[in-house]
Amino acid sequence: HEAYPDRFFAVKILPRGPKRDNPRLARNLENEASIAATLGEHPCLVRVLAAGQADGEHYMAMDYIAGDRLDKRIKNAGKMPENEVLLMALRVLAGLTHIYNRGFLYRDLKPGNIMISDTEGAYLYDFGICMSVEEALEEPAEDIVAGTPLYFPPERITGDGETAASEIYSLGMVMYHAMTGRSYFSARELDSLSRNDVRPMLLTARNKMDGISPDVAAVIEKMIQRDIAKRFQTFQDVERDIVRLLWLRLRRGSGKLLQGAEEQWQ
Protein backbone atom coordinates (compact mmCIF):
# COMPACT_ATOMS: atom_id res chain seq x y z
CA HIS A 1 0.00 0.00 0.00
CA GLU A 2 1.37 3.41 -1.01
CA ALA A 3 0.59 4.85 2.44
CA TYR A 4 2.61 2.05 4.12
CA PRO A 5 5.48 1.25 1.73
CA ASP A 6 7.48 -0.81 4.24
CA ARG A 7 4.70 -2.96 5.74
CA PHE A 8 3.08 -6.30 4.94
CA PHE A 9 -0.68 -6.84 5.08
CA ALA A 10 -3.01 -9.84 5.22
CA VAL A 11 -5.85 -9.75 2.69
CA LYS A 12 -9.11 -11.66 3.06
CA ILE A 13 -10.92 -12.47 -0.19
CA LEU A 14 -13.91 -14.61 -1.14
CA PRO A 15 -13.48 -18.36 -1.80
CA ARG A 16 -12.45 -19.46 -5.28
CA GLY A 17 -14.86 -21.07 -7.73
CA PRO A 18 -18.61 -20.37 -7.84
CA LYS A 19 -18.62 -18.94 -4.32
CA ARG A 20 -16.48 -16.04 -5.51
CA ASP A 21 -19.58 -14.39 -7.01
CA ASN A 22 -21.92 -15.28 -4.14
CA PRO A 23 -23.63 -12.01 -3.11
CA ARG A 24 -24.30 -13.30 0.42
CA LEU A 25 -20.60 -13.93 1.02
CA ALA A 26 -19.76 -10.51 -0.37
CA ARG A 27 -22.28 -8.91 2.01
CA ASN A 28 -20.80 -10.90 4.92
CA LEU A 29 -17.33 -9.57 4.10
CA GLU A 30 -18.65 -6.02 3.87
CA ASN A 31 -20.49 -6.47 7.17
CA GLU A 32 -17.34 -7.76 8.87
CA ALA A 33 -15.37 -4.75 7.63
CA SER A 34 -18.10 -2.42 8.87
CA ILE A 35 -18.10 -4.00 12.34
CA ALA A 36 -14.29 -3.85 12.47
CA ALA A 37 -14.48 -0.12 11.67
CA THR A 38 -16.99 0.37 14.49
CA LEU A 39 -14.77 -1.52 16.93
CA GLY A 40 -11.81 0.71 16.10
CA GLU A 41 -8.24 0.02 17.08
CA HIS A 42 -7.13 -2.01 20.09
CA PRO A 43 -3.76 -3.66 20.88
CA CYS A 44 -5.37 -7.12 21.09
CA LEU A 45 -7.45 -6.96 17.90
CA VAL A 46 -6.16 -7.35 14.35
CA ARG A 47 -6.73 -3.97 12.73
CA VAL A 48 -8.76 -3.81 9.51
CA LEU A 49 -7.31 -1.08 7.29
CA ALA A 50 -9.39 -1.16 4.13
CA ALA A 51 -12.17 -3.06 2.40
CA GLY A 52 -13.97 -2.86 -0.91
CA GLN A 53 -13.84 -4.20 -4.44
CA ALA A 54 -11.03 -4.03 -6.99
CA ASP A 55 -10.71 -5.79 -10.34
CA GLY A 56 -13.86 -7.76 -9.59
CA GLU A 57 -12.43 -9.00 -6.29
CA HIS A 58 -14.08 -8.31 -2.92
CA TYR A 59 -11.37 -7.86 -0.30
CA MET A 60 -10.56 -6.78 3.24
CA ALA A 61 -7.01 -5.75 4.17
CA MET A 62 -5.69 -6.26 7.71
CA ASP A 63 -2.47 -5.89 9.63
CA TYR A 64 -0.17 -8.86 9.07
CA ILE A 65 0.66 -10.61 12.36
CA ALA A 66 3.97 -12.49 12.30
CA GLY A 67 3.32 -15.75 14.12
CA ASP A 68 0.91 -18.69 14.09
CA ARG A 69 -2.77 -19.29 14.62
CA LEU A 70 -3.44 -20.87 17.99
CA ASP A 71 -4.85 -24.05 16.42
CA LYS A 72 -1.61 -24.59 14.48
CA ARG A 73 0.46 -23.91 17.56
CA ILE A 74 -1.53 -26.51 19.53
CA LYS A 75 -1.19 -29.03 16.70
CA ASN A 76 2.57 -28.54 16.51
CA ALA A 77 3.21 -28.49 20.26
CA GLY A 78 0.61 -31.03 21.35
CA LYS A 79 -0.31 -28.75 24.23
CA MET A 80 0.86 -25.41 25.61
CA PRO A 81 2.33 -24.46 29.00
CA GLU A 82 -0.30 -23.28 31.46
CA ASN A 83 1.31 -19.90 32.14
CA GLU A 84 1.54 -19.19 28.42
CA VAL A 85 -2.17 -19.98 28.03
CA LEU A 86 -3.04 -17.76 31.01
CA LEU A 87 -1.13 -14.85 29.47
CA MET A 88 -2.87 -15.48 26.15
CA ALA A 89 -6.23 -15.44 27.94
CA LEU A 90 -5.50 -12.05 29.48
CA ARG A 91 -4.96 -10.51 26.05
CA VAL A 92 -8.10 -12.17 24.69
CA LEU A 93 -10.05 -10.84 27.68
CA ALA A 94 -8.76 -7.35 26.95
CA GLY A 95 -9.95 -7.66 23.34
CA LEU A 96 -13.35 -9.03 24.40
CA THR A 97 -13.75 -6.22 26.90
CA HIS A 98 -13.06 -3.62 24.22
CA ILE A 99 -15.57 -5.27 21.86
CA TYR A 100 -18.17 -5.38 24.64
CA ASN A 101 -17.60 -1.75 25.53
CA ARG A 102 -18.27 -0.88 21.89
CA GLY A 103 -21.64 -2.62 22.19
CA PHE A 104 -20.87 -6.05 20.68
CA LEU A 105 -20.21 -9.67 21.56
CA TYR A 106 -17.47 -11.40 19.54
CA ARG A 107 -19.25 -14.81 19.49
CA ASP A 108 -16.62 -16.78 17.55
CA LEU A 109 -13.89 -17.71 20.00
CA LYS A 110 -11.94 -20.73 18.78
CA PRO A 111 -8.23 -21.53 18.33
CA GLY A 112 -8.46 -20.74 14.61
CA ASN A 113 -9.50 -17.15 15.33
CA ILE A 114 -6.61 -16.32 17.64
CA MET A 115 -3.26 -15.26 16.22
CA ILE A 116 -0.18 -15.63 18.41
CA SER A 117 2.38 -12.97 17.58
CA ASP A 118 6.04 -13.88 18.05
CA THR A 119 6.58 -10.67 20.02
CA GLU A 120 3.21 -9.36 21.26
CA GLY A 121 1.09 -12.38 22.22
CA ALA A 122 -2.52 -13.09 21.28
CA TYR A 123 -4.70 -11.18 18.81
CA LEU A 124 -8.36 -11.73 17.94
CA TYR A 125 -9.47 -11.48 14.34
CA ASP A 126 -12.48 -12.44 12.16
CA PHE A 127 -15.43 -10.35 13.33
CA GLY A 128 -17.90 -11.95 10.92
CA ILE A 129 -20.51 -13.12 13.44
CA CYS A 130 -20.20 -10.32 15.97
CA MET A 131 -23.61 -9.21 17.20
CA SER A 132 -24.78 -6.25 19.21
CA VAL A 133 -25.18 -6.91 22.92
CA GLU A 134 -28.92 -6.22 22.66
CA GLU A 135 -29.45 -8.59 19.71
CA ALA A 136 -27.40 -11.36 21.33
CA LEU A 137 -29.46 -11.19 24.51
CA GLU A 138 -32.69 -11.65 22.56
CA GLU A 139 -31.40 -14.11 19.96
CA PRO A 140 -33.87 -16.99 19.41
CA ALA A 141 -32.80 -20.59 18.84
CA GLU A 142 -32.31 -21.38 15.13
CA ASP A 143 -31.97 -24.53 13.05
CA ILE A 144 -28.61 -23.33 11.68
CA VAL A 145 -26.32 -22.09 14.45
CA ALA A 146 -23.34 -19.84 13.67
CA GLY A 147 -20.00 -20.68 15.24
CA THR A 148 -18.05 -23.82 16.11
CA PRO A 149 -19.93 -26.27 18.39
CA LEU A 150 -16.81 -27.28 20.33
CA TYR A 151 -16.53 -23.77 21.74
CA PHE A 152 -19.81 -21.88 21.53
CA PRO A 153 -22.00 -21.67 24.66
CA PRO A 154 -25.03 -23.93 25.25
CA GLU A 155 -27.41 -20.94 25.30
CA ARG A 156 -26.75 -20.46 21.58
CA ILE A 157 -28.57 -23.74 20.98
CA THR A 158 -31.36 -23.18 23.49
CA GLY A 159 -31.94 -19.59 22.40
CA ASP A 160 -31.80 -18.26 25.95
CA GLY A 161 -29.74 -15.24 24.90
CA GLU A 162 -26.01 -14.56 25.21
CA THR A 163 -24.10 -12.24 27.52
CA ALA A 164 -20.48 -11.64 28.51
CA ALA A 165 -20.71 -14.93 30.43
CA SER A 166 -21.25 -16.68 27.08
CA GLU A 167 -17.94 -15.32 25.79
CA ILE A 168 -16.29 -16.44 29.03
CA TYR A 169 -17.57 -19.99 28.44
CA SER A 170 -16.01 -20.05 24.96
CA LEU A 171 -12.69 -18.71 26.24
CA GLY A 172 -12.64 -21.41 28.92
CA MET A 173 -13.11 -24.06 26.25
CA VAL A 174 -10.28 -22.59 24.18
CA MET A 175 -7.98 -22.46 27.22
CA TYR A 176 -8.77 -26.09 28.02
CA HIS A 177 -7.96 -27.16 24.46
CA ALA A 178 -4.68 -25.24 24.47
CA MET A 179 -3.58 -26.74 27.81
CA THR A 180 -4.54 -30.35 27.06
CA GLY A 181 -4.26 -30.60 23.28
CA ARG A 182 -7.83 -31.89 23.03
CA SER A 183 -11.30 -30.36 22.96
CA TYR A 184 -13.38 -30.63 26.13
CA PHE A 185 -16.22 -32.52 24.43
CA SER A 186 -16.04 -35.47 22.06
CA ALA A 187 -18.27 -35.67 18.97
CA ARG A 188 -20.50 -38.16 20.81
CA GLU A 189 -20.85 -35.86 23.79
CA LEU A 190 -21.71 -32.92 21.54
CA ASP A 191 -24.46 -34.99 19.94
CA SER A 192 -25.85 -35.75 23.41
CA LEU A 193 -25.68 -32.08 24.36
CA SER A 194 -27.63 -31.09 21.26
CA ARG A 195 -30.40 -33.35 22.60
CA ASN A 196 -30.03 -31.89 26.12
CA ASP A 197 -28.90 -35.28 27.44
CA VAL A 198 -26.03 -34.65 29.87
CA ARG A 199 -25.88 -38.19 31.27
CA PRO A 200 -22.93 -39.35 29.12
CA MET A 201 -20.85 -36.52 30.58
CA LEU A 202 -21.61 -37.20 34.23
CA LEU A 203 -19.28 -40.21 34.42
CA THR A 204 -16.32 -38.48 32.81
CA ALA A 205 -16.63 -34.84 33.92
CA ARG A 206 -14.59 -35.30 37.07
CA ASN A 207 -11.69 -36.77 35.09
CA LYS A 208 -11.61 -34.16 32.33
CA MET A 209 -9.35 -31.84 34.31
CA ASP A 210 -6.68 -34.50 34.81
CA GLY A 211 -3.33 -33.03 33.82
CA ILE A 212 -4.31 -29.43 34.58
CA SER A 213 -3.06 -27.87 37.82
CA PRO A 214 -5.84 -27.60 40.45
CA ASP A 215 -5.64 -23.79 40.68
CA VAL A 216 -6.07 -23.40 36.92
CA ALA A 217 -8.69 -26.16 36.72
CA ALA A 218 -10.83 -24.34 39.30
CA VAL A 219 -10.89 -21.19 37.16
CA ILE A 220 -11.66 -23.06 33.93
CA GLU A 221 -14.41 -25.09 35.59
CA LYS A 222 -16.13 -21.88 36.69
CA MET A 223 -15.79 -20.45 33.19
CA ILE A 224 -17.46 -23.43 31.48
CA GLN A 225 -20.41 -24.14 33.76
CA ARG A 226 -23.44 -25.08 31.65
CA ASP A 227 -25.65 -22.98 33.91
CA ILE A 228 -24.82 -19.42 32.85
CA ALA A 229 -25.66 -18.09 36.33
CA LYS A 230 -22.86 -20.21 37.86
CA ARG A 231 -20.12 -18.81 35.61
CA PHE A 232 -18.04 -15.69 35.99
CA GLN A 233 -20.33 -12.87 34.96
CA THR A 234 -17.82 -10.24 33.83
CA PHE A 235 -14.50 -10.23 31.98
CA GLN A 236 -13.00 -8.33 34.90
CA ASP A 237 -13.85 -11.19 37.29
CA VAL A 238 -11.98 -13.68 35.10
CA GLU A 239 -9.06 -11.30 34.66
CA ARG A 240 -8.83 -10.82 38.44
CA ASP A 241 -8.59 -14.56 39.10
CA ILE A 242 -6.08 -15.20 36.31
CA VAL A 243 -3.85 -12.33 37.46
CA ARG A 244 -4.05 -13.68 41.01
CA LEU A 245 -3.01 -17.12 39.75
CA LEU A 246 -0.04 -15.76 37.87
CA TRP A 247 0.99 -13.56 40.80
CA LEU A 248 0.96 -16.47 43.24
CA ARG A 249 2.89 -18.63 40.78
CA LEU A 250 5.45 -15.88 40.30
CA ARG A 251 5.83 -15.49 44.05
CA ARG A 252 6.35 -19.23 44.49
CA GLY A 253 8.81 -19.32 41.61
CA SER A 254 10.72 -16.33 42.99
CA GLY A 255 10.90 -18.01 46.36
CA LYS A 256 12.49 -21.09 44.84
CA LEU A 257 14.98 -18.97 42.91
CA LEU A 258 15.92 -17.04 46.05
CA GLN A 259 16.26 -20.23 48.05
CA GLY A 260 18.49 -21.72 45.38
CA ALA A 261 20.69 -18.60 45.35
CA GLU A 262 21.05 -18.66 49.13
CA GLU A 263 22.04 -22.34 49.08
CA GLN A 264 24.59 -21.62 46.37
CA TRP A 265 26.26 -18.92 48.46
CA GLN A 266 26.41 -21.02 51.64
Side-chain angles (χ1 to χ4, degrees), residues 28-258:
N28 288 347
L29 190 61
E30 293 170 1
N31 181 62
E32 181 181 353
S34 175
I35 290 173
T38 302
L39 295 178
E41 294 186 25
H42 187 273
C44 301
L45 303 181
V46 174
R47 182 177 52 161
V48 174
L49 297 162
Q53 189 174 4
D55 300 326
E57 191 81 71
H58 294 274
Y59 73 92
M60 184 173 70
M62 303 166 282
D63 276 331
Y64 173 77
I65 306 298
D68 294 318
R69 287 198 327 238
L70 178 60
D71 58 335
K72 291 186 176 180
R73 184 157 292 203
I74 295 171
K75 183 177 180 180
N76 292 334
K79 58 183 180 180
M80 295 171 59
E82 290 180 355
N83 286 355
E84 187 176 335
V85 176
L86 293 172
L87 289 170
M88 174 204 74
L90 288 177
R91 281 188 59 90
V92 172
L93 284 166
L96 293 174
T97 299
H98 174 79
I99 292 170
Y100 187 81
N101 289 340
R102 290 297 178 103
F104 291 89
L105 293 182
Y106 177 69
R107 301 182 68 249
D108 203 13
L109 268 177
K110 58 184 179 181
N113 279 350
I114 299 173
M115 284 295 301
I116 306 295
S117 161
D118 296 333
T119 57
E120 304 296 331
Y123 284 84
L124 281 177
Y125 75 103
D126 196 340
F127 310 105
I129 64 171
C130 278
M131 185 178 287
S132 74
V133 171
E134 292 80 11
E135 288 179 308
L137 188 59
E138 300 172 358
E139 183 187 21
E142 298 180 355
D143 292 334
I144 300 176
V145 183
T148 305
L150 290 171
Y151 311 102
F152 67 52
E155 51 269 23
R156 189 169 303 176
I157 298 175
T158 60
D160 291 329
E162 297 180 38
T163 68
S166 306
E167 305 276 71
I168 290 167
Y169 176 97
S170 297
L171 177 57
M173 287 297 185
V174 170
M175 292 169 64
Y176 180 91
H177 191 168
M179 288 181 186
T180 63
R182 63 182 184 275
S183 58
Y184 188 84
F185 291 123
S186 66
R188 179 170 173 269
E189 289 173 331
L190 278 177
D191 181 62
S192 297
L193 285 172
S194 68
R195 293 182 277 105
N196 283 325
D197 180 8
V198 299
R199 288 173 295 175
M201 274 71 72
L202 296 179
L203 297 177
T204 59
R206 67 181 58 186
N207 299 322
K208 283 184 179 288
M209 292 294 171
D210 287 353
I212 299 179
S213 300
D215 55 348
V216 178
V219 172
I220 293 179
E221 284 178 334
K222 188 171 181 180
M223 295 173 75
I224 64 174
Q225 289 292 315
R226 285 190 58 77
D227 183 347
I228 192 170
K230 294 181 179 179
R231 295 178 211 152
F232 292 100
Q233 295 300 301
T234 70
F235 302 127
Q236 289 73 24
D237 289 340
V238 187
E239 180 186 33
R240 177 202 62 217
D241 279 19
I242 290 178
V243 169
R244 182 183 296 154
L245 269 180
L246 288 167
W247 175 249
L248 291 174
R249 287 177 167 216
L250 179 63
R251 290 287 298 272
R252 289 196 297 267
S254 297
K256 291 178 181 178
L257 288 173
L258 289 172

